[in-house]
Amino acid sequence: MRSSLPVLLGRALLIAAFLGAWEALPRLGVADPELLPPFSTVLGTLWGLLARPALRADLAITTVQLLVAVAVALPVGTLLGLLLSENPRLGAIFDPLVFFLFSIPKSIFLPMFILTMGIGFWQKVAFGVFSTVFIVLMSATAAVRAVRPDHVFVARAFGATRAQIAWRVYLPSMLPILLEGFRLAVIFGFTAVLLAEMYASRTGMGHQIASWGENFMMDRLFAGVLLLAIVAIVLNEAIRAVEVRCSHWRS
Amino acid sequence: MSLGAMSPGAVRTLIILGVLVLWEALPRLGLVPMLFLPPLTTTLVAGFSDWRVYGAALVVTLTEVAAALVFAVGGGILIGAFVGALAGPRRILLPVFSSFYAVPIVVLYPVFTAWFGIGSESKIAFAAIYGFFPTMLATAAGIQTIDPNLVLTARSMGATPVQRLLRVILPASIPTLLAGLRLGGALVIVGVVVAEMLISAAGIGYLVTSSRTVLDSPRVFAGVLLVLVIAMGFDMAMRVVERRCAAWGGGAPAQVPRRRPIARETGQANAA
Amino acid sequence: MQPLAELKPVVDEAIAPERPIIQVSGLDHVYPSRDGPVHALSDIALTVGEGRFVVIVGPSGCGKSSLLMMLAGLRHQTAGTILCSGRPITDPDPDRVGVVFQEANLFPWLTAIDNVAFPLALRGVSRAERAARANAMLELVGLGDAGGRYPHELSGGMKQRVSIARGLVQDPPVLLMDEPFAALDEQTRMAMGEELLRIWSATRKTVVFVTHSLTEAVYLADEVLVMSARPGRIVDRMEVELPRPRTYEMMAGAVFGRLRDRIWQQIKAPAR
Ligand SMILES: Nc1ncnc2c1ncn2[C@@H]1O[C@H](COP(=O)(O)OP(=O)(O)O)[C@@H](O)[C@H]1O
Ligand SMILES: [Mg+2]
C-alpha cells in the first residue's frame, strides 16, 4: 500500500526531529557531549571508521557469521518443519516440544556454547543457528498450514501432477510466510551473532562495540551503533520488499 | 508395546525422560566431557547447595525485572494503544517503529553502561528498551483487532465517549493488554539476564558469567536452568491469568481476530 | 373534499394513514473518498406511519445501511432533514430509536443477559430493574433460559435474538434493523422472520427493516420501499396487502409472486 504525501512528510519530520534532537541536545549543553556526542560528530567518526581496513574486517566477519548461520538454519528448519507438518505422527509427537523450544529464550544459553565450543567463528555460527532454526521451523509449519486444501483439490481435479501441485499450489501459497520467517531469522540471527561477539570474542562488530563502550570512546561507540542499526534496517527492508513483491504475484 | 503403537503423549514423555537420562549418563560414562555437560544431579546439587548465593542474586535480578517491566510494559501498552487506536499516528509511526524493530537493541547496552554505570540502572534501562518495542507493536496490532462495530453499537445506544472507552474499548483490549504483558515480561527477563551476563557485579546473569570464566560448568548450568524456570513460570502464570480474564473469548485470545473473516464468508458481501 | 387534504400527496394518504413517526425529506448524502466523492443517497423522501413494518429493499451498495445509520443518528447526512416523533435526529437517541445490525455485535465479555441490560447500565438504571427488564426481553425473544451464556456459547440465530432483545430493552417506539438475518442460514432466517413478526405484533413497535432479499421483504412488510443502485433513491413503494399472520404458504401465492416480481423489475433494470 502506498502512503500519502502527508504521512510520508510526517514520517520524515519525525526522523528529522529525532536526529535534530540528537544534534542539538549536546550542542546546547543539555546533554554532556562526552556522553552523547552530537549526530554530526558521530557521522564524521563513522566516515573515518569505514575507511579503516580493520573495521571493515570486523564488519565482514560479523556478516559472514550471520550468513553462514542463516544458510544452515534455513534449509534445516524448513525441512524439519515440512517433515513435522506433512507427517501427522511426527507432528503429534514433536509439535509441543518444538513449540516449547521455540518459545524459550535462546540468549541465556550462550555461556554453554562457550563452554563447549570456545569463542571462535563456529561457536558464533552455532549460536546463530540455535537462535534462528526454530523460527524457520515454525514458519515452515505455518506456511504449510497456509496452503488451502480446496486449492489442492481443485488442482487435482484438473489433473495436476504432484510436481505441478508442489510448484503451482504449494510454493506460491507458502512463499510469503517462508520469506517472513527468513526475515525474522536474519533479524534474530544478527542479534545473536552480535551478542555472542559482545559476550566473548576477539573479532567482529559486537566485540568492537563492547570494547569502545568499556573504554568510554563514545563517538566510536555511537558510530558503531548507528552503522549496525542502518545495516539491520536496510537488510530488513530489502527482504520485506521481496516479500511484498511475492505476495503481489500471488494475488 | 512398540513405539509405533504408543500415544504421541507417551512417546513424548519417553523422549523427555530419555533426554534427562542422557544428560545424567553421557558425562558419567565419559562420553561427553563434564566441562561441556555436567550431569543433571551434579547441576542440581550445585544449585541447591548454593541456594543462598542464588537466592541473593535472584532478588537483584527480579528487582531489576520489576523496574524494567514498569517502563517497558507500561510504556509499550500506553503508546501502543495510542498508536493503534488513532489512524494518523498509526500511519506515520507504525512503519517507522516496525523498521526499528529490526535494530539489534543489544548493541545499545554498552551505551547504557557508559551512561549509568554497571549497577542496576543500566540493566533496567536496557531491558526496558528491549521489552518496549515488541510490546508496543503487539499492543498496536491488538488494539486494531477490536471490532469497530462494537463501538458503533454502543454509540447507537447513546454511550458517551467516556462510557465507550471504559465499557467497550477497555474490556475489548484486555486480551491484548495481557498478551502484551506476557510478551514484554518475557523479554524484560531475558534483557535483564543478558545485560547481567555482559557487564555487571550482581544478579543471576553475573553468577552465570563468573562461573563460566572459572569453567565451573555445574554452576553455569544451574544458573541457566534457574533463569529458564523463571521465564517459563512467568509465561505459565500469565497464560493462566489470560485464560481467567478472557474466559468470554472461548479461551484463546486469538479467537477475537479469527471470528471476523468467518463471519464475512458466511455473510453477504457488503462492499461488492 | 377539503382543500387542505388535497395538498397532501395522494400516495402518503393511501399508504400511511397512521400518525407519521419518521419523516425524511430531501435527504442527500455524499461520501468523500480517495477516488472522488461517492454520491450514496439522492433526494430520499419517505414517511413511516406509527406501528408499521416498513422494509427497504435494494441492491448491495445502494446506500441502505447509510440511510439507516442516518435514521439512527449514527451518521450525519449531507443535506435534508430527518424527523422522528416530530423532532430532528442528529445524534443516537435510544429513547426514540433502537438499532439491530447485520452482525449481532454482542459484547463477548458479557453474558446474554448483561448484553441485553447494557443500554440500561449506560443510563444508570438500578441493578434490580436492569435484571428484571433484560429478563423480560429475553423471555420475549424466546431465550428466557439462556441469559447466563456468553456469546460464543450461542448459535447465530440466538445471538441475533439477543441483539433484538437489546434493541428493544429501552422500549423505543422505533426499531431499525440493518439486514439482521443476512448472516444466518436459510432455515434459521425463515424462522427468525416468523419470530420477528411475532415479537412485532406483541410490542407494536414501528420497524424499519433493511434487506436485499426480495422474499424477506414481501414476507415481512406492510410496505416495501425499493431503492435503486447508487446513487440510491426510492424508485417504488408498494403496500403488501397480504393478511396477517403471514404464513409460509403465502409465498407460493399469486399476490406474493406479483409483488416480488415488481420489486425485481425495479432493481434489475438499472443494474449493469
Ligand atoms: N464510510 C464510507 N466512506 C466512503 N464510502 C462509503 C462509506 N460507507 C459506504 N460507502 C459507500 O456508499 C455506498 C452505499 O453503502 P451502504 O450504505 O453500505 O450500502 P448498502 O447497505 O445498501 O449495501 C457504497 O457504494 C459504499 O461503498
Ligand atoms: Mg449494508
Side-chain angles (χ1 to χ4, degrees):
Chain A
M1 206 182 74
R2 260 179 310 142
S3 306
S4 66
L5 194 65
V7 168
L8 287 178
L9 218 65
R11 229 172 272 165
L13 222 63
L14 190 77
I15 293 166
F18 174 75
L19 295 181
W22 184 356
E23 182 69 29
L25 289 180
R27 291 230 181 268
L28 297 175
V30 181
D32 183 353
E34 292 287 313
L35 290 178
L36 180 68
F39 175 61
S40 55
T41 313
V42 170
L43 216 54
T45 310
L46 178 57
W47 193 248
L49 283 176
L50 281 176
R52 294 179 11 169
L55 184 114
R56 279 194 243 151
D58 280 320
L59 198 55
I61 195 114
T62 302
T63 313
V64 171
Q65 281 162 355
L66 172 64
L67 291 181
V68 175
V70 172
V72 174
L74 215 54
V76 171
T78 308
L79 281 178
L80 287 178
L82 292 181
L83 200 65
L84 290 188
S85 46
E86 289 294 288
N87 184 326
R89 172 93 181 138
L90 286 183
I93 295 173
F94 284 102
D95 276 350
L97 292 177
V98 165
F99 185 75
F100 170 75
L101 290 173
F102 170 75
S103 53
I104 58 175
K106 310 292 180 303
S107 327
I108 57 171
F109 292 92
L110 178 55
M112 296 174 175
F113 280 79
I114 294 174
L115 283 176
T116 45
M117 303 183 73
I119 60 168
F121 179 89
W122 290 107
Q123 174 257 329
K124 281 159 222 140
V125 169
F127 183 64
V129 172
F130 172 69
S131 301
T132 53
V133 72
F134 296 104
I135 299 171
V136 179
L137 201 166
M138 289 298 276
S139 70
T141 336
V144 173
R145 249 181 279 125
V147 179
R148 290 179 43 181
D150 42 351
H151 286 172
V152 179
F153 291 146
V154 170
R156 217 183 274 153
F158 283 109
T161 63
R162 280 179 78 93
Q164 281 172 323
I165 290 177
W167 181 250
R168 289 173 188 277
V169 180
Y170 270 70
L171 191 67
S173 312
M174 291 170 62
L175 204 58
I177 301 177
L178 287 178
L179 275 172
E180 168 88 12
F182 170 59
R183 188 169 63 83
L184 290 175
V186 169
I187 292 181
F188 283 84
F190 199 30
T191 296
V193 166
L194 285 169
L195 173 64
E197 289 174 348
M198 287 170 69
Y199 189 53
S201 177
R202 290 186 205 92
T203 54
M205 282 307 293
H207 164 70
Q208 286 300 348
I209 293 245
S211 68
W212 288 329
E214 274 166 49
N215 299 312
F216 285 93
M217 301 162 85
M218 295 308 277
D219 47 353
R220 287 194 188 183
L221 174 56
F222 275 102
V225 170
L226 188 64
L227 175 64
L228 293 173
I230 292 171
V231 168
I233 289 175
V234 168
L235 263 179
N236 184 43
E237 294 302 321
I239 304 173
R240 204 183 280 182
V242 177
E243 264 174 57
V244 168
R245 177 161 297 187
C246 283
S247 38
H248 263 308
W249 55 248
R250 191 163 72 128
S251 57
Chain B
M1 203 158 89
S2 80
L3 213 63
M6 289 170 73
S7 80
V11 178
R12 202 155 51 233
T13 312
L14 217 61
I15 292 173
I16 294 168
L17 283 177
V19 168
L20 293 180
V21 168
L22 286 180
W23 185 352
E24 185 67 28
L26 288 180
R28 293 238 181 261
L29 297 175
L31 295 173
V32 172
M34 294 255 187
L35 174 69
F36 291 6
L37 182 70
L40 175 58
T41 48
T42 316
T43 303
L44 292 179
V45 167
F48 283 113
S49 64
D50 278 358
W51 68 271
R52 266 173 217 285
V53 181
Y54 281 96
L58 198 59
V59 171
V60 173
T61 301
L62 290 183
T63 311
E64 290 164 355
V65 165
L69 209 58
V70 173
F71 292 108
V73 174
I77 287 178
L78 269 180
I79 296 183
F82 170 75
V83 170
L86 302 175
R90 181 171 67 234
R91 259 182 256 135
I92 293 176
L93 291 177
L94 220 48
V96 177
F97 281 146
S98 56
S99 295
F100 219 83
Y101 180 66
V103 174
I105 303 285
V106 70
V107 298
L108 282 180
Y109 184 58
V111 175
F112 292 132
T113 50
W115 281 355
F116 305 121
I118 65 165
S120 283
E121 291 88 344
S122 53
K123 276 99 208 153
I124 294 169
F126 171 70
I129 298 278
Y130 194 70
F132 171 80
F133 280 101
T135 311
M136 194 217 73
L137 287 172
T139 308
I143 291 286
Q144 280 174 264
T145 64
I146 293 179
D147 188 349
N149 281 326
L150 294 184
V151 182
L152 184 75
T153 306
R155 217 153 66 75
S156 80
M157 300 167 189
T160 64
V162 174
Q163 283 177 325
R164 273 176 253 157
L165 182 69
L166 294 182
R167 288 176 176 271
V168 181
I169 297 175
L170 206 63
S173 340
I174 283 177
T176 300
L177 300 190
L178 290 177
L181 181 59
R182 177 157 60 89
L183 174 69
L187 288 166
V188 163
I189 293 171
V190 176
V192 164
V193 172
V194 164
E196 287 173 348
M197 274 170 27
L198 285 170
I199 302 175
S200 70
I204 304 272
Y206 167 73
L207 225 52
V208 169
T209 292
S210 57
S211 305
R212 194 215 85 224
T213 46
V214 296
L215 302 181
D216 185 352
S217 296
R219 281 180 181 71
V220 173
F221 275 64
V224 171
L225 215 55
L226 181 58
V227 176
L228 204 57
V229 167
I230 294 170
M232 279 162 41
F234 177 81
D235 191 76
M236 279 195 298
M238 281 308 301
R239 277 177 200 279
V240 171
V241 173
E242 277 177 60
R243 217 166 300 141
R244 279 279 160 75
C245 295
W248 45 266
Q255 180 121 2
V256 179
R258 203 186 300 144
R259 188 176 296 152
R260 290 180 56 72
I262 295 170
R264 216 176 295 134
E265 271 167 30
T266 51
Q268 51 121 21
N270 233 336
Chain C
M1 247 192 199
Q2 301 276 324
L4 202 73
E6 279 178 20
L7 289 177
K8 287 173 92 181
V10 183
V11 183
D12 275 2
E13 182 84 33
I15 288 181
E18 297 87 353
R19 205 150 52 90
I21 188 160
I22 294 175
Q23 294 160 291
V24 177
S25 58
L27 190 72
D28 234 78
H29 193 71
V30 179
Y31 284 110
S33 87
R34 268 187 200 203
D35 319 318
V38 175
H39 200 170
L41 293 170
S42 168
D43 196 25
I44 302 278
L46 59 93
T47 305
V48 177
E50 195 168 351
R52 299 207 14 123
F53 200 121
V54 174
V55 173
I56 300 174
V57 62
S60 221
C62 73
K64 306 182 295 292
S65 295
S66 306
L67 176 57
L68 216 72
M69 295 274 265
M70 285 162 208
L71 294 179
L74 288 165
R75 187 165 282 159
H76 294 283
Q77 64 269 27
T78 312
T81 56
I82 299 173
L83 298 181
C84 180
S85 308
R87 284 170 292 137
I89 284 269
T90 48
D91 283 309
D93 183 352
D95 286 328
R96 286 188 284 169
V97 177
V99 191
V100 174
F101 296 92
Q102 176 180 333
E103 313 235 343
N105 292 344
L106 300 182
F107 301 110
W109 55 88
L110 297 179
T111 56
I113 186 144
D114 286 339
N115 261 292
V116 176
F118 187 87
L120 302 176
L122 289 179
R123 344 195 75 199
V125 175
S126 79
R127 189 177 292 270
E129 190 189 338
R130 251 165 28 208
R133 284 170 66 179
N135 240 325
M137 282 303 129
L138 280 177
E139 296 280 351
L140 176 69
V141 299
L143 284 180
D145 50 2
R149 294 206 215 161
Y150 283 95
H152 76 268
E153 299 166 324
L154 301 171
S155 72
M158 291 162 98
K159 279 186 205 155
Q160 209 47 277
R161 285 173 203 240
V162 174
S163 173
I164 292 170
R166 185 172 62 179
L168 290 172
V169 75
Q170 298 205 68
D171 203 23
V174 176
L175 189 63
L176 305 177
M177 309 183 84
D178 187 3
E179 310 205 29
F181 309 144
L184 305 177
D185 61 82
E186 186 65 25
Q187 282 130 352
T188 315
R189 188 173 180 153
M190 287 302 304
M192 287 297 292
E194 222 168 286
E195 189 71 8
L196 177 62
L197 288 181
R198 184 184 62 73
I199 295 167
W200 172 65
S201 59
T203 57
R204 303 311 308 180
K205 299 287 173 200
T206 307
V207 176
V208 178
F209 186 107
V210 157
T211 182
H212 63 227
S213 157
L214 314 185
T215 309
E216 199 172 56
V218 178
Y219 180 71
L220 295 175
D222 288 331
E223 176 187 342
V224 177
L225 302 177
V226 185
M227 281 178 72
S228 66
R230 219 174 61 204
R233 45 178 104 235
I234 293 179
V235 290
D236 196 5
R237 57 180 71 188
M238 60 193 77
E239 191 81 357
V240 180
E241 272 147 359
L242 292 167
R244 295 194 187 264
R246 301 274 162 85
T247 61
Y248 186 74
E249 287 69 42
M250 290 178 187
M251 289 190 192
V255 181
F256 200 101
R258 216 171 38 242
L259 286 170
R260 198 169 53 184
D261 197 52
R262 182 166 150 195
I263 302 172
W264 173 236
Q265 295 305 331
Q266 300 289 347
I267 290 180
K268 84 165 184 193
R272 69 209 74 178

